[in-house]
């Protein structure tokens, strides 16, 4: 088949052929359109559940300057990462996503080792990101109950219980199959776009008074203790405050993980990555501006027991209207949980398909009714809930989980980009979406930014560190993962793990469709 450079002339079989050329059969159903893929990716990123829950963190770690200018700074560099990923996704549209890209770009020498690290770091980012997002939804739900019942005490245990319930429901919806996921995807696009417009309009119109432009664009605030308890520069505080923005711009690799179920994935995969980043930037900027302009009493807002953003909603929309705005955030977090579990299970499926998980044959069984890896769906749900356990003893867990998620995601994003511009530069073949001669400079900017935030977000988020509520768990989690992946690699995995295992030899391709395309993988009976 003759495929144009832009890739719009291909049909269904083109997806199957490209997947076969990457070494895999079309096991999962290819049932999602480009718009639905974008919906999954936008939901996985979920700016509503990113920038809003951490708005209070941003207000004490740099203030309005961080909320607005920090957002634009992070957006600028994230686009470099997105461009680098989109180019690779166009060449390798497979559910393994970054893990598969890393193995291929690293070649026989470096591919197995780097893909081992890649898989585990991406899993850390995926699990921690979902855990933080749904925990935020649980926290907002708790706040809404407190607003209507002042005797209702807010604590981390209740946040956790609500979060666990939402995750179980997200698992049930994933179990329902492709139709349920399609509906959830489209509903999510509606909620993130219309919900943002509702929040922005209600806050700006309903605010008794609006802050001045001078306050919104120039006010710097530090209540972390760095500039008062040490000789730290305000620049350091500003950089720490970027966590709010960076956490809101993660998860766009979901487009790649859903590619084996997406039509024209070599076009819609890259498009989903970039469209979700652009949409997230616009949505987030509108939210940041509205929330900052809508602040009434600055100190009372950041000290509010229900949370800074929740207090702004109540101040500008009243008890009933504010509760509706809070519920929009809760619903967005729930939808994020649905999409993230779907993406997590596909990434785990790809890793297990290549023997990377313990008891891999058990995990790779596909459900007969849905054609989906439902065992991995529920494994994802369990792990995500476990990661939120620290919230049982603290209400300050969200920022720590956010830092862990950022490190896991961004490191996993940077590894294939780094290999693309170094050891894989000579063998990489550009396809429909490509950066031409700009691949290397864009890739280097992405990698340097990743190294920068790796250092910054491992630092304490306040100073001095006096108790567990001010302790940053990120270095401990990242350190544990580094020790685990390194020890398992050198003690065991390097002897048997070779990266992606081909299911189809290229010689089996006959025209477009593999000769044994009709073969079925092991499936479990639907109950």
């Amino acid at each position: 088949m003759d495929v144009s450079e832009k890739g719009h002339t291909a049909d269904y079989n083109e997806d199957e052929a490209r997947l076969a050329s990457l070494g895999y059969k079309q096991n999962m159903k290819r049932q999602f359109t480009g718009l639905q893929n974008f919906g999954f990716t936008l939901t996985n990123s979920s700016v509503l559940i990113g920038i809003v829950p951490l708005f209070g963190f941003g207000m004490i770690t740099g203030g309005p300057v961080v909320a607005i200018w920090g957002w634009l700074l992070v957006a600028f560099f994230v686009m470099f990462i997105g461009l680098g990923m989109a180019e690779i996704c166009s060449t390798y549209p497979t559910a393994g996503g970054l893990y598969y890209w890393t193995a291929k770009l690293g070649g026989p020498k470096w591919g197995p080792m780097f893909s081992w690290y890649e898989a585990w770091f991406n899993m850390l980012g995926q699990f921690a990101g979902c855990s933080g997002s749904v925990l935020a939804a649980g926290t907002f739900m708790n706040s809404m109950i407190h607003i209507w019942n002042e005797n209702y005490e807010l604590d981390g245990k209740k946040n956790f219980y609500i979060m666990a319930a939402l995750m179980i429901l997200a698992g049930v919806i994933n179990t329902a199959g492709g139709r349920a996921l399609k509906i959830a995807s489209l509903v999510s696009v509606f909620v993130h776009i219309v919900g943002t417009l509702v929040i922005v309009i209600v806050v700006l119109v309903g605010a008794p008074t609006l802050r001045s432009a001078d306050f919104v664009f120039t006010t710097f605030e530090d209540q972390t203790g760095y500039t008062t308890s040490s000789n730290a520069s305000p620049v350091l505080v500003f950089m720490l405050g970027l966590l709010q923005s960076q956490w809101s711009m993660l998860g766009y690799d979901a487009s790649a993980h859903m590619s084996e179920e997406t039509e024209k994935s070599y076009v819609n995969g890259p498009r989903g990555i970039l469209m979700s980043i652009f949409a997230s930037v616009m949505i987030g900027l509108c939210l940041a501006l509205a929330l900052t302009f809508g602040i009434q009493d600055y100190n009372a807002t950041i000290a509010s027991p229900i949370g800074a953003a929740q207090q702004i909603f109540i101040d500008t929309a009243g008890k009933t209207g504010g509760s509706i705005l809070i519920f929009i955030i809760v619903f967005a977090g729930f939808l994020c949980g649905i999409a993230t579990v779907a993406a997590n299970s596909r990434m785990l499926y790809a890793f297990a398909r290549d023997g990377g998980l313990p008891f891999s044959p058990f995990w790779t069984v596909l459900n007969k009714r849905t054609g989906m890896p439902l065992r991995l769906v529920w494994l994802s749900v369990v792990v995500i809930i476990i990661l939120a356990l620290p919230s049982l003893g603290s209400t300050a867990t969200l920022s720590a989980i956010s830092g862990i998620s950022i490190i896991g995601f961004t490191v996993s994003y940077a590894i294939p980009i780094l290999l693309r511009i170094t050891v894989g530069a000579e063998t990489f073949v550009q396809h429909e979406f490509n950066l031409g001669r700009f691949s290397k400079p864009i890739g280097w900017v992405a990698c340097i930014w990743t190294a920068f935030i790796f250092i910054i977000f491992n630092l304490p988020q306040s100073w001095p560190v006096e108790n567990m509520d001010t302790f940053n768990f990120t270095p401990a989690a990242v350190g544990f993962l580094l020790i685990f992946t390194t020890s398992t690699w050198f003690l065991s995995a390097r002897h048997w793990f070779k990266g992606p295992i081909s299911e189809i030899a290229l010689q089996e391709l006959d025209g477009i469709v593999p000769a044994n395309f009709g073969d079925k993988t092991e499936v479990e009976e639907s109950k």
Side-chain angles (χ1 to χ4, degrees):
M1 175 177 294
D2 181 32
V3 182
S4 69
E5 184 176 341
K6 292 186 178 181
H8 295 294
T9 60
D11 59 17
Y12 181 81
N13 284 335
E14 180 69 13
D15 282 304
E16 299 168 2
R18 292 201 184 200
L19 184 61
S21 71
L22 299 178
Y24 296 115
K25 299 177 182 179
Q26 185 67 59
N27 295 324
M28 293 186 284
K29 295 179 181 178
R30 197 172 291 273
Q31 55 188 319
F32 302 127
T33 64
L35 178 61
Q36 289 161 344
N37 179 286
F38 165 67
F40 281 121
T41 311
L42 182 64
T43 309
N44 207 40
S45 301
S46 191
V47 178
L48 278 174
I49 204 67
I51 194 171
V52 178
L54 284 181
F55 187 75
F57 174 87
M59 287 299 101
I60 66 173
T61 318
V65 166
V66 164
I68 307 304
W69 298 112
W71 179 265
L72 294 174
L73 177 67
V74 170
F76 176 77
F77 286 106
V78 164
M79 186 55 73
F80 282 87
I81 298 176
L83 287 168
M85 290 172 58
E87 180 180 53
I88 303 173
C89 183
S90 184
T91 299
Y92 303 126
T94 177
L98 300 103
Y99 152 72
Y100 182 93
W101 306 348
T102 299
K104 291 302 180 184
L105 293 168
K109 182 177 181 181
W110 300 107
M113 182 182 73
F114 275 103
S115 61
W116 180 258
Y117 281 90
E118 170 66 38
W120 288 105
F121 266 93
N122 191 247
M123 275 190 275
L124 176 68
Q126 293 273 5
F127 288 139
C130 185
S131 183
S133 297
V134 185
L135 180 62
T139 303
F140 270 63
M141 177 66 80
N142 232 356
S143 299
M144 187 166 62
I145 297 172
H146 177 77
I147 290 169
W148 290 93
N149 181 8
E150 294 184 358
N151 294 323
Y152 179 83
E153 295 184 5
L154 298 171
D155 61 58
K157 290 182 180 179
K158 293 172 183 174
N159 294 343
F160 174 80
Y161 296 149
I162 296 173
M163 177 268 186
L166 291 174
M167 281 308 310
I168 292 172
L169 185 55
V172 170
I173 292 176
N174 269 269
T175 303
R179 181 175 176 80
L181 288 179
K182 290 177 184 179
I183 294 172
S185 172
L186 296 177
V187 169
S188 175
V189 173
F190 178 83
V191 169
H192 279 80
I193 296 176
V194 177
T196 298
L197 289 174
V198 170
I199 291 174
V200 170
I201 293 171
V202 170
V203 169
L204 293 179
V205 174
T209 60
L210 292 176
R211 289 284 181 164
S212 66
D214 180 67
F215 170 84
V216 171
F217 295 106
T218 65
T219 301
F220 176 84
E221 182 75 22
D222 174 29
Q223 295 190 25
T224 65
Y226 268 104
T227 57
T228 56
S229 302
S230 68
N231 294 321
S233 167
V235 175
L236 174 61
V237 177
F238 177 86
M239 292 188 295
L240 290 171
L242 296 177
L243 181 140
Q244 175 195 12
S245 299
Q246 184 65 68
W247 190 52
S248 303
M249 289 187 245
L250 295 172
Y252 37 89
D253 58 314
S255 181
H257 294 308
M258 301 302 293
S259 61
E260 288 187 29
E261 298 166 84
T262 302
E263 299 168 358
K264 296 185 179 178
S265 55
Y266 45 90
V267 172
N268 288 323
R271 184 178 293 164
I273 292 173
L274 298 178
M275 285 177 60
S276 67
I277 294 175
F278 179 77
S280 296
V281 170
M282 294 297 102
I283 291 172
L285 182 60
C286 291
L287 287 168
L289 287 169
L291 290 173
T292 309
F293 272 112
I295 295 174
Q296 299 304 297
D297 184 321
Y298 192 90
N299 290 325
T301 297
I302 60 178
S304 174
I306 62 174
Q310 296 96 310
Q311 188 62 52
I312 294 172
F313 292 159
I314 298 301
D315 290 342
T316 58
K319 192 174 179 179
T320 302
S323 296
I324 294 173
L325 299 186
I326 290 173
F327 182 75
I328 291 175
I329 305 301
V330 174
F331 194 37
F334 171 60
L335 292 169
C336 178
I338 295 172
T340 308
V341 166
N344 286 355
S345 61
R346 274 55 173 184
M347 192 278 167
L348 287 171
Y349 173 77
F351 194 41
R353 179 171 60 184
D354 300 327
L357 288 181
F359 312 109
S360 287
F362 172 81
W363 297 117
T364 53
V365 172
L366 298 178
N367 179 265
K368 183 178 181 180
R369 176 179 57 84
T370 64
M372 295 177 177
L374 298 188
R375 295 180 181 182
L376 291 171
V377 164
W378 288 101
L379 175 64
S380 299
V381 169
V382 171
V383 174
I384 288 166
I385 293 175
I386 290 173
L387 279 176
L389 283 173
S391 65
L392 290 171
S394 171
T395 57
T397 308
L398 181 57
S399 60
I401 294 179
S402 303
I404 295 169
S405 175
I406 290 171
I407 298 301
F409 268 124
T410 53
V411 168
S412 70
Y413 293 168
I415 290 174
I417 294 175
L418 179 62
L419 294 175
R420 157 71 182 92
I421 60 178
T422 54
V423 297
E426 298 301 321
T427 57
F428 182 78
V429 179
Q430 295 177 322
H431 279 261
E432 281 73 14
F433 180 88
N434 69 81
L435 303 174
R437 65 179 183 276
F438 295 106
S439 290
K440 286 192 175 182
I442 288 174
W444 280 118
V445 171
C447 292
I448 292 171
W449 175 253
T450 300
F452 165 73
I453 61 176
F454 182 92
I455 296 171
I456 291 299
F457 295 147
N458 271 298
L459 297 176
Q461 295 170 347
S462 61
W463 192 264
V465 179
E466 298 177 332
N467 51 54
M468 294 306 292
D469 278 345
T470 57
F471 180 75
N472 185 4
F473 294 93
T474 304
V478 174
F480 173 79
L481 183 64
L482 281 171
I483 293 172
F484 170 78
T485 51
T486 302
S487 59
T488 52
W489 173 257
F490 285 102
L491 293 177
S492 175
R494 68 188 179 94
H495 299 297
W496 52 267
F497 182 74
K498 303 303 179 184
I501 300 173
S502 176
E503 292 180 332
I504 302 175
L506 290 179
Q507 292 85 350
E508 294 176 354
L509 284 172
D510 180 16
I512 284 185
V513 184
N516 60 348
F517 178 76
D519 291 353
K520 301 291 184 181
T521 55
E522 181 183 5
V523 296
E524 65 183 20
E525 294 295 328
S526 58
K527 297 179 180 180

